[in-house]
């Protein structure tokens, strides 16, 4: 190794003690599940799609292990290389760990016990990445010939720094997609939104499609209502008992493929297989309820089943140009969302005009309380208030003067701002007046916050009474109500849904309306015989 270090300083940079490295190495042991041509091609394909097209494969020793080198034309921070490659492989579904696949450089104390065999040692060989055949044996060459051959590849197969930047950006995009999927899995859902399911293998009754139509406005092409509804229930409750893992994986994949507009869950159709795999893994990992030993112990079989379900494509669509699914949002929802957005913008605009007319700088909390809106809504409509907010803040800073600090005894002459004229001494009466004005303004702020709090409490009470008025109109048991009463109840709930105070109340009424429509459909059409099977 000393010869390599002396002849080629770029390789010396990559030693364990160095902070930068011109290469990364994937160490694959001979007994690893990735030590075969199929898995190697999969890893190479991942690297190529991420921007790293040049790699070199070597046999590290007579044990048969592999070293996959990724060279760069200039040194890169070793810790950054290790973190980026580790995150990239893990998020791409590749297991990274000792004895399976290790990533080097591995700087810092965490590298203890994870060493990398140096190149050109006994048993070293050059391999063909396409066939895994040995191209050249180290022992068949002199030290000089072997060294020159390795250095030629070090220079000739180097990826540019621009390629590394592209790879780094792809890693960041992958991390962002993963966090978005995980946040969807962590989203809390109220139990009232869970639709009861009936385990059945018979043909889908038209009435069972009513909940789907209530969510999507129409029945999406190819959707299986039973699987979608079961996926929603698994999403809320997890595994209800042993033996449900396979059904949960299939149903969750179907549910996330089409999404759920009523819960603002975006569809993860074709092209989002990786997101669906992350999402299903996260949900079943956190909500298996101790009903699956394989998931509880993180066994590879369970994870492989999730991967197969997320990447499954119907036979008649394999090899075709698959287009992502985009659901139709009901017109009533779109219209209501537009009305809520217009109302919020009007309130924000009025609040900004009122605050700007006073000429005093304001905080975002002031704007939030006066506009009676949430801070996330303010961020979405910064075009209405950002310019005014910054303008008043700049005016306040520009008008600030050092004369207010010129009171005798307040600061020493060394701390006062330089002045070419005589220092102005603020009269004690003026200081007292400013103190009184400050106290009055603080009192006014407290009163304003108290009024806003009372107004919010009144709105909450009004929304509660609104829900109670609807609950009083519902029969104790829908199965006991006659068809005429159900029909009237559907009309009543549809009208109340269009006049809901907020989006949460609208969704709440929508769930009740779905149940009533389902019961009405069962009364009018009746069940379909069990001897029929789904298409």
């Amino acid at each position: 190794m000393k010869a390599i270090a002396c002849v080629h300083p770029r390789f010396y940079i990559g030693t364990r003690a160095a902070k930068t490295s011109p290469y990364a190495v994937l160490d694959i042991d001979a007994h690893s599940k990735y030590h075969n041509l199929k898995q190697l091609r999969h890893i190479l394909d991942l690297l190529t799609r991420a921007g790293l097209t040049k790699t070199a494969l070597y046999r590290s020793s007579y044990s048969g292990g592999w070293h996959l080198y990724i060279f760069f034309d200039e040194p890169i921070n070793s810790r950054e290389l290790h973190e980026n490659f580790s995150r990239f492989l893990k998020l791409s579904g590749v297991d990274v760990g000792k004895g399976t696949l290790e990533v080097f450089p591995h700087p810092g104390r965490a590298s203890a016990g994870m060493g990398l065999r140096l190149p050109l040692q006994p048993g070293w060989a050059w391999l063909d990445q396409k066939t895994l055949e040995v191209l050249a044996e180290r022992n068949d060459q002199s030290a000089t010939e072997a060294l020159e051959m390795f250095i030629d590849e070090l220079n000739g197969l180097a990826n540019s720094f621009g390629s590394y930047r592209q790879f780094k950006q792809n890693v960041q995009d992958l991390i962002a997609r993963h966090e978005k999927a995980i946040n969807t899995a962590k989203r809390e859902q109220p139990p009232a939104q869970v639709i009861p399911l009936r385990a059945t293998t018979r043909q889908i009754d038209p009435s069972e499609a009513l909940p789907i139509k209530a969510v999507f406005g129409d029945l999406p092409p190819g959707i299986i209502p039973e699987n979608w509804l079961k996926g929603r229930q698994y999403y809320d409750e997890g595994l209800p008992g042993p033996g449900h893992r396979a059904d949960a994986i299939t149903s969750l994949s179907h549910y996330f493929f089409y999404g759920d507009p009523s819960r603002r869950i975006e569809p993860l159709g074709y092209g989002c297989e990786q997101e669906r795999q992350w999402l299903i893994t996260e949900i079943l990992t956190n909500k298996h309820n101790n009903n699956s030993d394989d998931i509880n112990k993180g066994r590879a079989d369970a994870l492989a089943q999730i991967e197969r379900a997320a990447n499954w494509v119907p036979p008649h669509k394999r090899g075709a140009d698959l287009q992502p699914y985009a659901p139709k949002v009901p017109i009533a929802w779109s219209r209501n969302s537009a009305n809520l957005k217009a109302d919020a913008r009007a309130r924000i605009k009025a609040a900004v005009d009122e605050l700007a007319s006073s000429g005093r700088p304001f905080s975002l909390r002031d704007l939030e309380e006066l506009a009676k809106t949430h801070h996330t809504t303010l961020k979405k409509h910064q075009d209405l208030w950002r310019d005014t907010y910054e303008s008043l803040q700049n005016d306040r800073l520009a008008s600030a003067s050092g004369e207010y600090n010129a009171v005798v005894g307040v600061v020493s002459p060394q701390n006062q701002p330089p002045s070419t004229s005589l220092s102005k001494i603020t009269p004690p009466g003026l200081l007292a007046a400013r103190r009184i004005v400050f106290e009055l303004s603080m009192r006014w702020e407290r009163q304003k916050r108290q009024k806003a709090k009372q107004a919010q409490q009144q709105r909450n009470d009004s929304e509660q009474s609104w829900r109670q008025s609807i609950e009083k109109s519902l029969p104790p048991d829908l199965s006991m109500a006659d068809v005429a009463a159900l029909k009237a109840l559907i009309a009543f709930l549809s009208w109340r849904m269009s006049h809901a105070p907020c989006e949460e109340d609208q969704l709440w009424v929508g769930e009740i309306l779905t149940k009533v429509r389902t019961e009405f459909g069962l009364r009018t059409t009746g069940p379909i015989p069990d001897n029929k099977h789904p298409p």
Side-chain angles (χ1 to χ4, degrees), residues 32-236:
S32 171
K33 62 181 179 180
Y34 299 112
H35 195 273
N36 56 74
L37 185 58
K38 180 180 179 181
Q39 292 296 334
L40 176 64
R41 288 176 176 173
H42 175 61
I43 293 175
L44 293 176
D45 182 60
L46 291 175
L47 294 173
T48 300
R49 285 190 278 119
L52 302 178
T53 59
K54 299 179 181 180
T55 55
L57 182 66
Y58 306 100
R59 188 186 67 200
S60 60
S61 66
Y62 286 121
S63 64
W66 294 341
H67 283 178
L68 183 64
Y69 274 76
I70 302 99
F71 298 114
F72 300 101
D73 59 2
E74 59 181 274
I76 300 172
N77 183 276
S78 297
R79 188 176 300 277
E80 180 181 317
L81 275 176
H82 179 78
E83 291 178 354
N84 282 334
F85 274 93
S86 297
R87 294 294 297 274
F88 171 75
L89 292 171
K90 290 178 181 178
L91 292 178
S92 299
V94 179
D95 294 336
V96 177
K98 189 173 179 62
T100 303
L101 186 149
E102 302 176 37
V103 178
F104 293 90
H106 201 300
R109 296 179 180 178
S111 63
M114 299 183 69
L116 179 67
R117 186 180 180 86
L118 298 177
L120 306 182
Q121 301 298 310
W124 178 273
W126 284 259
L127 301 180
D128 187 339
Q129 295 182 160
K130 296 181 179 179
T131 62
L132 300 182
E133 295 180 356
V134 176
L135 300 177
E137 290 278 359
R138 161 67 183 88
N139 294 341
D140 296 340
Q141 307 174 43
S142 66
T144 302
E145 291 174 344
L147 187 59
E148 289 179 349
M149 187 173 179
F150 183 79
I151 292 176
D152 286 343
E153 291 193 340
L154 177 65
N155 293 323
L157 294 178
N159 294 275
S160 66
F161 188 72
S163 298
Y164 175 72
R165 286 199 303 267
Q166 180 183 351
F167 168 74
K168 185 177 179 181
Q169 182 60 47
N170 285 328
V171 174
Q172 297 300 320
D173 294 342
L174 202 61
I175 293 173
R177 289 166 52 196
H178 180 260
E179 291 179 350
K180 183 178 179 181
I182 297 305
N183 290 333
T184 302
K186 292 180 179 179
R187 187 181 303 170
E188 295 293 335
Q189 297 295 339
Q193 293 188 359
V194 178
I195 298 178
L197 301 179
R198 294 174 299 188
T200 178
T201 58
R202 62 179 174 81
Q203 184 179 1
I204 300 299
D205 189 287
S207 62
E208 294 184 4
L210 290 178
I212 309 298
K213 293 182 179 180
V215 171
F216 292 93
D218 197 2
L219 205 62
I223 195 171
I224 304 175
E226 182 181 8
N227 286 358
W228 189 89
L229 292 172
K230 286 196 296 184
R232 176 190 260 197
Q233 184 164 336
Y234 285 125
Y235 174 52
D236 291 329

Side-chain angles (χ1 to χ4, degrees), residues 400-476:
S401 174
E403 63 174 312
Y404 302 131
N405 293 327
V407 181
V408 177
V410 175
V411 292
S412 62
Q414 290 80 3
N415 294 332
Q416 295 181 8
S419 175
T420 56
S421 59
L422 296 177
S423 299
K424 298 181 180 180
I425 307 301
T426 303
L430 181 57
L431 288 176
R434 287 176 178 159
R435 182 63 184 177
I436 293 173
V437 172
F438 174 78
E439 291 293 339
L440 291 175
S441 64
M442 293 298 294
R443 183 182 303 175
W444 179 78
E445 291 289 342
R446 287 194 296 270
Q447 293 176 352
K448 185 175 68 171
R449 287 195 295 270
Q450 184 64 24
K451 290 180 180 180
K453 185 176 180 180
Q454 293 175 354
Q456 181 63 36
Q457 184 63 36
Q458 291 176 357
R459 286 196 300 272
N460 293 339
D461 295 340
S462 175
E463 292 176 2
Q464 186 65 26
S465 61
W466 185 83
R467 290 197 178 193
Q468 291 176 354
S469 65
I470 294 179
E471 291 175 346
K472 291 180 180 179
S473 63
L474 298 176

